Amino acid sequence: MAILVSGGAGYIGSHTCVELIETGHTPIVVDNLYNSSAKSLERVKEITGVAVKFYEGDVRDEALLRKIFA
């Protein structure tokens, strides 16, 4: 199951992505990188071997969310 992770490039979000992957889910990350770094998603890939789909942006951006859910 694909799961949208808001703030997935942050500390808690990246750890959540690892757990989701390890339980068979597919995280899709939306993060504006205000208080996080895309490097954390590189570390998620190092740990799990899975590249997480990442969208840089704000979850309040309706057009971005429509693009993701399309």
Side-chain angles (χ1 to χ4, degrees):
M1 173 187 299
I3 299 176
L4 185 67
V5 182
S6 171
Y11 178 80
I12 294 171
S14 61
H15 283 77
T16 299
C17 287
V18 169
E19 293 299 318
L20 287 170
I21 292 167
E22 289 180 350
T23 57
H25 298 289
T26 304
I28 300 170
V29 172
V30 176
D31 200 308
N32 63 9
L33 302 178
Y34 175 74
N35 193 26
S36 57
S37 171
K39 288 190 178 219
S40 64
L41 298 177
E42 293 172 17
R43 292 188 193 109
V44 169
K45 183 178 179 182
E46 290 174 14
I47 293 166
T48 65
V50 175
V52 176
K53 184 73 175 175
F54 171 64
Y55 294 91
E56 183 174 352
D58 197 297
V59 295
R60 297 173 292 179
D61 182 345
E62 185 178 338
L64 174 63
L65 291 180
R66 286 186 187 279
K67 174 183 172 185
I68 293 169
F69 286 115

